[in-house]
């Protein structure tokens, strides 16, 4: 976050130069959309003037985020107060005058691209008032706080990153912790600029089957809406991976589990106008049981939210499947033909329909 503060009376030229060098940094998170808000806030009840000033700026940034993003509007007031106190406590021992801006900059880097103190004045009675212009990032992000081993987490997150873009989210990865406290949740929300926090853990069960390594992963996650700090979605899912090595089986299970987690979020939160009804036509079908295999294959394709119906015509050897999807038919079909349960070839497609030929069913 790039911040610029106007010099206060009594500042030395050296102190102001030091501050300008501190505030020349690029934002911690890239931002594609932003809004500018001007707010006035008061800081008080702290021993040092610089702490009161820091408290006023912190409150101003909270107000700006609430106005631009709707975040924290219905949150518990005591949680915000506790967070503000923690930020201000961090400036008690600073050596360079007003270097607390660096502390605030790092704490709010997720939501605030930059801020500028337009005016400040001492109100008396240990109170300071500031007017601040704030540039607030509007990008939607989700923080994935999954507690498991590094390999499992990487496999899951890669799949989640690929699939949740349809909901309009971008994934950020805070360092995993234990169960989130209220303060830790607030810290992740503000520093990462997230709309949702996915919090939970994954357990693994290992085995062998006919010479192959088998890994079953089970995830229990809750999705927290940072506007209310309440859980809005919960899911428990399991997936099993098979491979020549444990690492390969783990990678497969983690990828499938991440995809199913993302699918459950997309099904719950994707806007109706972003959902599409797609049609897939499979010809050269010889066995009636192929319709069930095709249905299961489509259900596992990223972007497919659910299979709506499947019809098989034995006379024409044709299967027609309708699905609800966040992606177009061409992209879904290209991923479908890579699956090996039933060998298929893409013949032609439009955004709404795709025709495929079945081989050796």
């Amino acid at each position: 976050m790039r911040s610029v503060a106007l010099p206060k009376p009594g500042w030395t030229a050296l102190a102001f130069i030091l501050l300008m060098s501190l505030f020349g940094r690029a934002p911690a998170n890239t931002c594609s959309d932003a809004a500018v808000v001007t707010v006035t806030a008061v800081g008080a009840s702290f021993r040092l003037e610089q702490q009161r000033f820091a408290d006023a700026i912190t409150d101003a940034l909270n107000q700006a985020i609430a106005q631009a993003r709707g975040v924290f509007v219905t949150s518990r007031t005591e949680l915000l107060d506790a967070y503000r106190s923690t930020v201000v406590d961090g400036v008690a021992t600073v050596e360079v005058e007003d270097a607390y801006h660096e502390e605030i900059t790092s704490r709010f880097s997720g939501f605030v691209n930059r801020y500028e103190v337009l005016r400040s004045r001492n109100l008396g009675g240990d109170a300071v008032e500031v007017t601040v212009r704030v540039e607030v990032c509007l990008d939607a992000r989700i923080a994935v706080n999954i507690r498991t081993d590094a390999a499992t987490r990487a496999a899951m997150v890669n799949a989640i990153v690929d699939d949740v873009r349809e909901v309009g989210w971008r994934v950020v990865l805070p360092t995993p912790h234990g169960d989130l406290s209220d303060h830790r949740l607030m810290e992740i929300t503000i520093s990462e600029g997230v709309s949702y926090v996915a919090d939970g853990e994954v357990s693994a069960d290992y085995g062998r089957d006919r010479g192959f390594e088998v890994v079953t992963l089970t995830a229990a996650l809750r999705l927290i809406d940072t506007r209310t700090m309440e859980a809005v979605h919960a899911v428990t899912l399991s997936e099993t991976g098979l491979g020549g090595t444990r690492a390969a089986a783990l990678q497969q299970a983690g990828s499938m589990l991440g995809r199913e987690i993302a699918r459950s979020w997309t099904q719950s939160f994707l806007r109706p106008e972003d959902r599409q009804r797609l049609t897939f036509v499979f010809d050269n079908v010889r066995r009636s049981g192929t319709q069930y295999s095709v249905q299961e294959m489509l259900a596992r394709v990223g972007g497919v939210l659910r299979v709506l119906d499947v019809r098989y015509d034995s006379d024409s050897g044709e299967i027609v499947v309708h699905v609800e999807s966040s992606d177009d038919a061409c992209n879904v079909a290209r991923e479908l033909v890579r699956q090996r349960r039933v060998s298929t070839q893409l013949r032609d497609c439009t955004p709404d329909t795709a025709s495929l030929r079945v081989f050796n069913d």
Side-chain angles (χ1 to χ4, degrees), residues 21-335:
S21 68
L22 283 173
F23 302 155
R25 300 179 178 179
N29 290 308
T30 58
C31 184
S32 60
D33 190 18
V36 177
V37 180
T38 299
V39 295
T40 298
V42 175
S45 304
F46 288 93
R47 181 175 60 85
L48 300 177
E49 182 183 2
Q50 63 193 33
Q51 289 180 302
R52 294 192 289 272
F53 195 49
D55 182 51
I57 294 174
T58 303
D59 187 34
L61 298 187
N62 282 335
Q63 289 185 43
I65 294 168
Q67 287 184 37
R69 294 286 299 267
V71 179
F72 315 135
V73 172
T74 58
S75 298
R76 294 184 296 278
T77 302
E78 61 269 22
L79 183 56
L80 278 170
D81 290 344
Y83 186 81
R84 284 173 57 187
S85 296
T86 301
V87 174
V88 175
D89 286 345
V91 308
T93 59
V94 294
E95 296 180 1
V96 178
E97 184 178 6
D98 290 298
Y100 50 81
H101 284 279
E102 185 175 26
E103 177 76 11
I104 296 172
T105 295
S106 65
R107 293 294 190 99
F108 284 86
S109 60
F111 280 119
V112 179
N113 289 341
R114 54 185 59 81
Y115 71 88
E116 179 183 2
V117 179
L118 302 177
R119 292 180 297 277
S120 67
R121 64 191 181 109
N122 196 322
L123 299 178
D126 294 333
V128 174
E129 180 186 81
V130 298
T131 299
V132 184
R133 180 186 293 123
V134 188
E135 184 179 298
V136 181
C137 182
L138 301 180
D139 291 357
R141 304 187 182 105
I142 180 172
V144 179
N145 187 60
I146 298 175
R147 295 176 294 282
T148 187
D149 62 89
T152 301
R153 187 166 185 256
M156 291 178 58
V157 167
N158 287 339
I160 289 173
V161 168
D162 289 340
D163 286 357
V164 299
R165 281 176 288 196
E166 287 84 3
V167 191
W169 298 339
R170 187 160 59 85
V171 174
V172 297
L173 303 173
T175 303
H177 282 66
D179 290 336
L180 290 182
S181 64
D182 281 350
H183 187 272
R184 173 60 179 159
L185 180 58
M186 178 68 78
E187 182 180 67
I188 291 175
T189 299
I190 295 179
S191 65
E192 302 293 349
V194 296
S195 308
Y196 294 93
V197 176
D199 177 59
E201 58 188 4
V202 178
S203 59
D205 182 42
Y206 300 95
R208 289 184 63 83
D209 182 22
R210 291 172 288 185
F212 289 94
E213 296 288 340
V214 180
V215 178
T216 299
L217 299 177
T218 301
L221 293 177
R222 57 178 181 149
L223 196 63
I224 302 166
D225 188 334
T226 58
R227 291 169 297 182
T228 62
M229 292 299 175
E230 301 293 338
V232 294
H233 184 265
V235 64
T236 299
L237 294 168
S238 292
E239 290 290 345
T240 298
L242 186 71
T245 65
R246 177 171 290 187
L250 185 63
Q251 172 67 32
Q252 185 185 75
S255 180
M256 291 191 298
L257 185 58
R259 173 158 293 174
E260 289 307 306
I261 289 170
R263 192 197 308 275
S264 72
W265 294 339
T266 306
Q267 288 172 335
S268 299
F269 297 102
L270 192 67
R271 298 175 304 175
E273 59 267 32
D274 293 327
R275 299 171 185 262
Q276 304 176 64
R277 182 185 173 95
L278 309 180
T279 301
F280 296 88
V281 180
F282 301 82
D283 65 13
N284 197 39
V285 179
R286 300 177 181 178
R287 297 189 308 110
S288 62
T290 302
Q291 62 182 306
Y292 306 112
S293 298
V294 166
Q295 178 178 349
E296 292 178 8
M297 289 165 60
L298 275 167
R300 286 191 170 275
V301 172
V304 174
L305 304 178
R306 59 192 176 115
V307 177
L308 300 173
D309 60 71
V310 181
R311 296 195 305 273
Y312 170 60
D313 186 331
S314 59
D315 293 334
S316 63
E318 189 174 84
I319 298 172
V320 178
V321 185
H322 296 104
V323 307
E324 184 180 63
S325 176
S326 59
D327 207 347
D328 67 47
C330 293
N331 288 336
V332 172
R334 291 187 189 103
E335 186 171 345

